[in-house]
Amino acid sequence: MKLAAFGDSITAGQYVAEQETYLYKLQVRFGCETINAGVPGNTTAQGLARFERDVLAHQHDVCIVAFGMNDHVHTAPGTAKVPPEAYRDNLITIIERLRSHRVIPVLCTMNPIIEGDAGRYYYRRHPQEWYRNPEGAQAWIDSYNRIVREVAASLEVPLADVAGRWERYLAQGGSLGDLLRTEENSGTDDGVHPTPAGLDLFAECIGEVLEPLHLRLGGDA
């Protein structure tokens, strides 16, 4: 199995060592060749602009598609960088183009964030008052995750529901402070990018979805 990961800074592994990225962990688990096509700051629209060069040209078997953390970001009150319907259309375009090249797409939902306030974490960088209908940045992320799930279901695409996996971790007594970069564990009020522990959950969740694909493509049981 030749595996690509197409996404943003979380896929690229910004702020962590290469061996701590979820793609490296999957490479070790499956013993496969990998291509990291994650670029920090990218939306689906920006990803599509480099799709041919960074992804399709490499003729891989499976492609993880993990966008949305930048798409939902607002540039003005109620105005996302990539509005929900455009985000849906972009995901569908990515899936159709992968399939036209006989590549199996795997969609991923986004991890939750620490919203904070005007002085710390997400709302220090992004004005809270811009995020309305739904209320709050996390609610917008949740709405984009619903789009990912809907597209996966309607087009019968394998889904790695990372958001759901993180929610179960939290319900079992875990803390976002374990999974996201915080002032305590990194000296920065990030609250968006996963720690190595958070990326472990990414790798576990995606790995469960990849397991049957790996076997279908001739991998060892």
Side-chain angles (χ1 to χ4, degrees):
M1 180 173 69
K2 189 173 182 181
L3 176 65
F6 184 40
D8 51 33
S9 58
I10 295 171
T11 293
Q14 192 172 18
Y15 308 121
V16 299
E18 180 184 359
Q19 63 268 25
E20 294 171 328
T21 64
Y22 74 74
L23 186 60
Y24 185 89
K25 296 172 193 289
L26 294 171
Q27 177 184 320
V28 171
R29 174 172 176 174
F30 294 106
C32 60
E33 181 181 346
T34 59
I35 299 165
N36 193 324
V39 172
N42 262 199
T43 63
T44 49
Q46 291 167 315
L48 278 168
R50 60 183 178 83
F51 193 33
E52 182 71 38
R53 180 190 70 242
D54 288 358
V55 180
L56 298 179
H58 295 280
Q59 301 178 344
H60 44 278
D61 302 304
V62 179
C63 182
I64 301 161
V65 180
F67 285 97
M69 197 58 83
N70 298 299
D71 295 74
H72 88 277
V73 171
H74 280 34
T75 57
T79 305
K81 284 185 179 180
V82 179
E85 284 309 308
Y87 178 68
R88 183 190 302 272
D89 291 344
N90 289 345
L91 289 179
I92 292 170
T93 297
I94 290 168
I95 291 163
E96 290 175 344
R97 291 184 66 186
L98 286 169
R99 285 177 164 171
S100 73
H101 284 72
R102 296 178 180 163
V103 180
I104 301 169
V106 173
L107 287 180
C108 293
T109 53
M110 290 170 276
N111 59 265
I113 62 170
I114 299 173
E115 291 177 293
D117 54 37
R120 300 168 71 237
Y121 291 99
Y122 190 89
Y123 293 137
R124 179 177 63 81
R125 303 183 294 272
H126 309 282
Q128 183 174 0
E129 61 272 16
W130 286 7
Y131 292 84
R132 299 284 186 258
N133 302 314
E135 186 78 17
Q138 184 61 56
W140 276 82
I141 290 171
D142 293 342
S143 70
Y144 279 56
N145 278 336
R146 283 194 292 274
I147 292 171
V148 175
R149 295 183 182 114
E150 290 164 4
V151 170
S154 65
L155 297 184
E156 299 183 338
V157 175
L159 172 68
D161 195 352
V162 170
R165 177 61 57 90
W166 281 44
E167 287 166 8
R168 289 197 296 276
Y169 176 87
L170 298 175
Q172 293 166 0
S175 166
L176 276 181
D178 302 329
L179 305 180
L180 294 172
R181 284 164 45 85
T182 65
E183 293 171 335
E184 291 76 18
N185 64 36
S186 68
T188 178
D189 64 338
D190 184 323
V192 170
H193 293 90
T195 61
L199 291 167
D200 279 341
L201 287 189
F202 266 82
E204 289 171 12
C205 183
I206 298 170
E208 290 171 5
V209 176
L210 291 179
E211 191 72 48
L213 301 178
H214 182 239
L215 293 175
R216 188 198 311 174
L217 292 166
D220 295 331

